C-alpha cells in the first residue's frame, strides 16, 4: 500500500513527532509523582538521556514508543508497507542503540526500566503504577520492561 500523503506532507507530519515530553512520557511521570517518587527528566549527562531519572533509587525509566523502538509482539510496531528496507534498517539501529544504552547504564550501576507506549493507557494506570513502584522499590532486577502484555485489563 502506498502512502496517502505526498512526500512533502509526510515530511511535515514526521517533523512534528516529538522525542521528549510525549503523552506516554507525561503519563508515566504523573503516575510516579502520585506514588511519591521525585525525579529529574532528560538528564543529558547519562547515556541515552533517560526520560525519567530517580537518583535516590539509582534507577532510570525510558518510555519507548512501540513503533520507534520496535516493540516485539505489539501491533503498534508494524513495519510500514512503503520504504520497507529503510524502516527495517532504521528500527534495527534504534534497537541496537537501546541495547548499548542499557548496557552502559547497568555497567555504571544504574537500574533500567523500560515502559512501552502500549502500557500507557488510562485503563492500565493502576496496574502500571504498581508495577513501576514494585520495580523501583524492590531492587531485584537490573533491567525491567513493562508492556501492555504485562498488565491485566480491569474487569468491565
Amino acid at each position: 500500500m502506498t502512502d496517502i500523503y505526498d512526500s512533502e506532507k509526510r515530511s511535515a507530519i514526521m517533523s512534528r513527532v516529538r522525542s521528549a515530553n510525549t503523552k506516554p512520557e507525561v503519563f508515566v511521570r504523573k503516575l510516579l509523582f502520585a506514588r511519591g517518587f521525585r525525579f529529574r527528566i532528560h538528564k543529558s549527562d547519562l547515556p541515552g538521556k533517560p526520560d525519567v531519572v530517580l537518583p535516590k533509587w539509582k534507577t532510570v525509566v525510558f518510555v519507548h514508543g512501540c513503533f520507534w523502538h520496535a516493540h516485539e509482539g505489539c501491533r503498534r510496531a508494524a513495519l510500514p508497507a512503503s520504504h520497507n528496507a529503510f524502516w527495517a534498517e532504521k528500527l534495527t539501529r534504534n534497537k541496537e542503540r537501546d541495547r548499548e544504552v542499557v548496557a552502559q547504564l547497568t555497567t555504571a550501576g544504574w537500574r533500567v526500566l523500560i515502559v512501552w507506549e502500549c502500557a500507557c493507557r488510562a485503563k492500565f494506570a493502576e496496574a502500571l503504577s504498581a508495577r513501576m513502584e514494585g520495580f523501583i522499590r524492590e531492587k531485584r532486577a537490573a533491567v525491567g520492561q513493562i508492556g501492555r502484555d504485562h498488565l491485566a485489563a480491569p474487569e468491565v
Side-chain angles (χ1 to χ4, degrees):
M1 177 176 202
T2 59
D3 198 348
I4 62 172
Y5 298 113
D6 62 34
S7 61
E8 286 183 24
K9 176 70 173 175
R10 175 59 61 197
S11 180
I13 290 170
M14 295 304 286
S15 72
R16 288 191 296 263
V17 174
R18 294 191 282 172
S19 62
N21 299 318
T22 62
K23 287 181 182 180
E25 186 182 320
V26 171
F27 182 79
V28 165
R29 292 192 323 227
K30 285 181 180 181
L31 293 178
L32 288 171
F33 192 87
R35 292 269 177 156
F37 292 104
R38 300 302 176 254
F39 47 81
R40 298 288 174 252
I41 60 173
H42 310 124
K43 285 197 51 121
S44 59
D45 60 337
L46 290 174
K49 198 174 175 185
D51 299 317
V52 177
V53 179
L54 298 123
K56 175 181 176 182
W57 302 93
K58 194 83 171 170
T59 301
V60 299
V61 179
F62 287 100
V63 183
H64 282 342
C66 294
F67 172 75
W68 294 106
H69 296 269
H71 185 197
E72 292 180 28
C74 182
R75 63 182 174 81
R76 296 173 177 269
L79 266 172
S82 60
H83 305 290
N84 203 321
F86 165 80
W87 285 109
E89 182 182 334
K90 177 169 183 57
L91 298 177
T92 299
R93 282 193 325 262
N94 287 353
K95 286 179 75 169
E96 288 171 4
R97 187 173 43 254
D98 291 342
R99 281 191 292 273
E100 290 168 8
V101 166
V102 168
Q104 291 170 349
L105 287 165
T106 54
T107 299
W110 289 88
R111 297 173 62 243
V112 180
L113 177 61
I114 297 168
V115 177
W116 291 97
E117 171 189 19
C118 59
C120 299
R121 302 284 176 265
K123 67 181 179 180
F124 299 131
E126 186 58 37
L128 174 59
S129 182
R131 291 284 300 247
M132 289 189 301
E133 182 175 14
F135 178 85
I136 294 165
R137 291 189 190 278
E138 289 175 13
K139 296 184 181 182
R140 289 186 191 161
V143 180
Q145 292 190 42
I146 303 173
R148 178 186 182 140
D149 55 338
H150 297 108
L151 307 171
E155 296 295 321
V156 180

